[in-house]
Amino acid sequence: MIRPAPHAVAANAGIAGIVLAGGRGQRLGRGEKGLCRLGGRSLLERALARAAPQTGSLLLSFNGDASRLPACVVPVIPDTVPGFAGPLAGVLAGLEYLRVYQPGTRWLASFACDCPWFPHDLVQRLWHHAQHETCEVAVARSAGRLHPVFALWSCDLATPLRDALVRGDMRGAGEFLRTRRHAAVDWATTSFDPFFNINTPEDLAQAEARLASGKGDDCA
């Protein structure tokens, strides 16, 4: 059963989170990527449990057959724009859900389901930079690479994000970020990149090997 840990970060009570599991996982070749198992637990279970303590509430972006999901204790929402428009479509669905059902929430933190070891302090650090740099988006960065699927989004971005996705002229999340006030927050990769993600069978095998070696931080 997917059962996130109790929310433990009181300071983030006004921040919602969304786990992005709306992709088709074609390169992995196993259907919905979030349902693939790592060390006996699905990637989706791991992501939800790791994200829940960092936010005041949690959503799940999922476009497949919801009946295939284990019993879930968080709202499951599909994309609100057609055509598998990428992870930003999941972010948009989350922002629009909050506008209707949690209008007092001002920020949405996004997490990718295919990164089993994203930082436990992700939201805390993104929030710190968002406040001090008065930006619309605070986004994680490691080894010089931005990770827009791990970001803190102002809920005021719902309308401009929808406009950009509906126009269909946006090539990716990085392009949208360049049009908004954003701050990049760096994480060290000295021993391991915490944003390592699983896209292929080889990536999954590498993650299994990391768990087997005892080097993986497997607690959420």
Side-chain angles (χ1 to χ4, degrees):
M1 175 181 293
I2 298 175
R3 189 175 298 280
H7 300 143
V9 185
N12 289 345
I15 300 175
I18 186 165
V19 173
L20 303 173
R24 290 171 286 184
Q26 291 176 316
R27 282 188 287 170
L28 197 55
R30 302 192 183 189
E32 284 90 351
K33 185 188 296 186
L35 301 182
C36 291
R37 303 189 77 78
L38 170 64
R41 300 171 65 196
S42 71
L43 295 179
L44 186 52
E45 288 175 297
R46 289 175 175 276
L48 286 166
R50 204 171 185 88
Q54 302 192 44
T55 62
S57 60
L58 198 58
L59 307 170
L60 170 61
S61 164
F62 188 79
N63 290 310
D65 180 0
S67 67
R68 296 185 61 200
L69 292 172
C72 193
V73 295
V74 299
V76 179
I77 56 175
D79 290 351
T80 54
V81 293
F84 287 97
L88 284 190
V91 173
L92 173 63
L95 292 173
E96 293 184 332
Y97 179 96
L98 294 177
R99 186 162 57 188
V100 175
Y101 296 104
Q102 295 178 218
T105 301
R106 302 308 307 154
W107 295 91
L108 176 67
S110 59
F111 311 87
C113 75
D114 61 358
C115 295
W117 295 292
F118 62 81
H120 291 291
D121 63 348
L122 179 75
V123 173
Q124 179 182 3
R125 290 192 58 200
L126 293 178
W127 167 251
H128 174 81
H129 282 266
Q131 295 303 294
H132 283 77
E133 301 185 38
T134 60
C135 58
E136 297 171 293
V137 188
V139 57
R141 181 171 62 187
S142 65
R145 178 187 173 194
L146 289 177
H147 304 287
V149 289
F150 289 102
L152 187 64
W153 308 81
S154 166
C155 288
D156 292 336
L157 290 175
T159 297
L161 180 53
R162 169 166 282 279
D163 290 344
L165 289 173
V166 169
R167 284 198 311 269
D169 57 358
M170 187 174 61
R171 296 182 181 179
E175 184 173 337
F176 180 74
L177 286 176
R178 285 192 290 273
T179 70
R180 316 309 305 185
R181 300 189 313 275
H182 70 278
V185 184
D186 286 298
W187 265 267
T189 58
T190 305
S191 58
F192 182 75
D193 189 340
F195 300 103
F196 166 84
N197 67 311
I198 297 173
N199 281 319
T200 66
E202 292 76 20
D203 294 334
L204 185 57
Q206 184 179 343
E208 290 281 10
R210 179 172 173 78
L211 281 182
S213 72
K215 295 179 180 178
D217 174 11
D218 195 32
C219 59

PDB file of all heavy atoms in Angstrom, residues 3 14 16 26 37 42 77 103 152 160 167 174 206 209 217:
ATOM      1  N   ARG A   3       1.554   4.495   1.394  1.00  0.00           N
ATOM      2  CA  ARG A   3       1.142   5.215   2.602  1.00  0.00           C
ATOM      3  C   ARG A   3       2.274   6.133   3.022  1.00  0.00           C
ATOM      4  O   ARG A   3       3.191   5.731   3.716  1.00  0.00           O
ATOM      5  CB  ARG A   3       0.782   4.249   3.721  1.00  0.00           C
ATOM      6  CG  ARG A   3       0.137   4.931   4.922  1.00  0.00           C
ATOM      7  CD  ARG A   3      -0.303   3.903   5.942  1.00  0.00           C
ATOM      8  NE  ARG A   3      -1.303   3.009   5.412  1.00  0.00           N
ATOM      9  CZ  ARG A   3      -2.606   3.309   5.315  1.00  0.00           C
ATOM     10  NH1 ARG A   3      -3.030   4.496   5.697  1.00  0.00           N
ATOM     11  NH2 ARG A   3      -3.459   2.448   4.826  1.00  0.00           N
ATOM     12  N   GLY A  14       2.232  25.279   4.559  1.00  0.00           N
ATOM     13  CA  GLY A  14       1.602  26.019   3.470  1.00  0.00           C
ATOM     14  C   GLY A  14       2.131  25.650   2.103  1.00  0.00           C
ATOM     15  O   GLY A  14       1.798  26.303   1.114  1.00  0.00           O
ATOM     16  N   ALA A  16       2.329  22.663  -0.741  1.00  0.00           N
ATOM     17  CA  ALA A  16       1.858  21.364  -1.215  1.00  0.00           C
ATOM     18  C   ALA A  16       2.960  20.727  -2.046  1.00  0.00           C
ATOM     19  O   ALA A  16       3.884  21.394  -2.512  1.00  0.00           O
ATOM     20  CB  ALA A  16       0.594  21.528  -2.041  1.00  0.00           C
ATOM     21  N   GLN A  26       8.751   4.685 -21.513  1.00  0.00           N
ATOM     22  CA  GLN A  26       8.996   3.858 -22.692  1.00  0.00           C
ATOM     23  C   GLN A  26      10.421   3.320 -22.748  1.00  0.00           C
ATOM     24  O   GLN A  26      10.652   2.183 -23.159  1.00  0.00           O
ATOM     25  CB  GLN A  26       8.688   4.664 -23.955  1.00  0.00           C
ATOM     26  CG  GLN A  26       7.194   4.953 -24.108  1.00  0.00           C
ATOM     27  CD  GLN A  26       6.889   5.837 -25.291  1.00  0.00           C
ATOM     28  OE1 GLN A  26       7.578   6.832 -25.537  1.00  0.00           O
ATOM     29  NE2 GLN A  26       5.860   5.490 -26.045  1.00  0.00           N
ATOM     30  N   ARG A  37       9.783  -1.801  -9.596  1.00  0.00           N
ATOM     31  CA  ARG A  37      10.201  -2.051  -8.227  1.00  0.00           C
ATOM     32  C   ARG A  37      11.712  -1.958  -8.082  1.00  0.00           C
ATOM     33  O   ARG A  37      12.469  -2.382  -8.956  1.00  0.00           O
ATOM     34  CB  ARG A  37       9.693  -3.417  -7.759  1.00  0.00           C
ATOM     35  CG  ARG A  37       8.176  -3.541  -7.864  1.00  0.00           C
ATOM     36  CD  ARG A  37       7.659  -4.788  -7.221  1.00  0.00           C
ATOM     37  NE  ARG A  37       7.626  -4.699  -5.767  1.00  0.00           N
ATOM     38  CZ  ARG A  37       6.692  -4.055  -5.068  1.00  0.00           C
ATOM     39  NH1 ARG A  37       5.716  -3.427  -5.686  1.00  0.00           N
ATOM     40  NH2 ARG A  37       6.740  -4.028  -3.750  1.00  0.00           N
ATOM     41  N   SER A  42       8.001  -0.183  -4.954  1.00  0.00           N
ATOM     42  CA  SER A  42       7.874   0.529  -6.216  1.00  0.00           C
ATOM     43  C   SER A  42       8.544   1.899  -6.118  1.00  0.00           C
ATOM     44  O   SER A  42       8.661   2.481  -5.026  1.00  0.00           O
ATOM     45  CB  SER A  42       6.403   0.696  -6.606  1.00  0.00           C
ATOM     46  OG  SER A  42       5.767   1.639  -5.764  1.00  0.00           O
ATOM     47  N   ILE A  77      -4.218  12.821  -9.710  1.00  0.00           N
ATOM     48  CA  ILE A  77      -4.748  13.725 -10.725  1.00  0.00           C
ATOM     49  C   ILE A  77      -4.037  13.505 -12.054  1.00  0.00           C
ATOM     50  O   ILE A  77      -2.820  13.394 -12.116  1.00  0.00           O
ATOM     51  CB  ILE A  77      -4.625  15.197 -10.286  1.00  0.00           C
ATOM     52  CG1 ILE A  77      -3.182  15.554  -9.943  1.00  0.00           C
ATOM     53  CG2 ILE A  77      -5.523  15.484  -9.085  1.00  0.00           C
ATOM     54  CD1 ILE A  77      -2.986  17.028  -9.611  1.00  0.00           C
ATOM     55  N   PRO A 103      -7.072  26.853  -2.155  1.00  0.00           N
ATOM     56  CA  PRO A 103      -6.737  28.189  -2.642  1.00  0.00           C
ATOM     57  C   PRO A 103      -5.793  28.974  -1.748  1.00  0.00           C
ATOM     58  O   PRO A 103      -5.180  29.944  -2.186  1.00  0.00           O
ATOM     59  CB  PRO A 103      -8.106  28.876  -2.761  1.00  0.00           C
ATOM     60  CG  PRO A 103      -9.000  28.106  -1.835  1.00  0.00           C
ATOM     61  CD  PRO A 103      -8.516  26.698  -1.901  1.00  0.00           C
ATOM     62  N   LEU A 152      10.313  24.305  -6.695  1.00  0.00           N
ATOM     63  CA  LEU A 152       9.254  24.912  -5.895  1.00  0.00           C
ATOM     64  C   LEU A 152       8.627  26.002  -6.758  1.00  0.00           C
ATOM     65  O   LEU A 152       9.309  26.942  -7.161  1.00  0.00           O
ATOM     66  CB  LEU A 152       9.830  25.497  -4.603  1.00  0.00           C
ATOM     67  CG  LEU A 152       8.830  26.017  -3.577  1.00  0.00           C
ATOM     68  CD1 LEU A 152       7.946  24.886  -3.042  1.00  0.00           C
ATOM     69  CD2 LEU A 152       9.558  26.703  -2.429  1.00  0.00           C
ATOM     70  N   PRO A 160       0.206  31.370 -16.737  1.00  0.00           N
ATOM     71  CA  PRO A 160       1.254  31.424 -17.763  1.00  0.00           C
ATOM     72  C   PRO A 160       1.763  30.047 -18.175  1.00  0.00           C
ATOM     73  O   PRO A 160       2.119  29.840 -19.341  1.00  0.00           O
ATOM     74  CB  PRO A 160       2.369  32.255 -17.109  1.00  0.00           C
ATOM     75  CG  PRO A 160       2.047  32.315 -15.662  1.00  0.00           C
ATOM     76  CD  PRO A 160       0.576  32.174 -15.540  1.00  0.00           C
ATOM     77  N   ARG A 167      -0.049  26.583 -26.197  1.00  0.00           N
ATOM     78  CA  ARG A 167       0.525  27.091 -27.457  1.00  0.00           C
ATOM     79  C   ARG A 167       1.342  26.013 -28.152  1.00  0.00           C
ATOM     80  O   ARG A 167       1.420  25.971 -29.378  1.00  0.00           O
ATOM     81  CB  ARG A 167       1.427  28.309 -27.177  1.00  0.00           C
ATOM     82  CG  ARG A 167       0.699  29.593 -26.880  1.00  0.00           C
ATOM     83  CD  ARG A 167       1.630  30.793 -27.051  1.00  0.00           C
ATOM     84  NE  ARG A 167       2.896  30.621 -26.364  1.00  0.00           N
ATOM     85  CZ  ARG A 167       3.130  31.015 -25.108  1.00  0.00           C
ATOM     86  NH1 ARG A 167       2.165  31.599 -24.421  1.00  0.00           N
ATOM     87  NH2 ARG A 167       4.304  30.846 -24.564  1.00  0.00           N
ATOM     88  N   GLY A 174      13.187  23.819 -19.292  1.00  0.00           N
ATOM     89  CA  GLY A 174      14.227  24.845 -19.216  1.00  0.00           C
ATOM     90  C   GLY A 174      13.840  26.114 -19.937  1.00  0.00           C
ATOM     91  O   GLY A 174      14.150  27.223 -19.484  1.00  0.00           O
ATOM     92  N   GLN A 206      21.787  -0.389 -11.952  1.00  0.00           N
ATOM     93  CA  GLN A 206      22.753   0.391 -11.173  1.00  0.00           C
ATOM     94  C   GLN A 206      22.168   0.756  -9.810  1.00  0.00           C
ATOM     95  O   GLN A 206      22.872   0.707  -8.784  1.00  0.00           O
ATOM     96  CB  GLN A 206      23.137   1.651 -11.943  1.00  0.00           C
ATOM     97  CG  GLN A 206      24.207   2.488 -11.253  1.00  0.00           C
ATOM     98  CD  GLN A 206      24.598   3.722 -12.060  1.00  0.00           C
ATOM     99  OE1 GLN A 206      24.315   3.812 -13.261  1.00  0.00           O
ATOM    100  NE2 GLN A 206      25.246   4.675 -11.418  1.00  0.00           N
ATOM    101  N   ALA A 209      22.206  -2.250  -7.602  1.00  0.00           N
ATOM    102  CA  ALA A 209      23.567  -2.506  -7.128  1.00  0.00           C
ATOM    103  C   ALA A 209      23.922  -1.553  -5.994  1.00  0.00           C
ATOM    104  O   ALA A 209      24.598  -1.937  -5.030  1.00  0.00           O
ATOM    105  CB  ALA A 209      24.555  -2.367  -8.276  1.00  0.00           C
ATOM    106  N   ASP A 217      20.854   5.370   0.502  1.00  0.00           N
ATOM    107  CA  ASP A 217      20.081   5.855   1.642  1.00  0.00           C
ATOM    108  C   ASP A 217      18.657   5.382   1.424  1.00  0.00           C
ATOM    109  O   ASP A 217      17.893   6.009   0.703  1.00  0.00           O
ATOM    110  CB  ASP A 217      20.162   7.366   1.712  1.00  0.00           C
ATOM    111  CG  ASP A 217      19.256   7.956   2.782  1.00  0.00           C
ATOM    112  OD1 ASP A 217      18.725   7.192   3.602  1.00  0.00           O
ATOM    113  OD2 ASP A 217      19.091   9.177   2.803  1.00  0.00           O
TER     114      ASP A 217
END
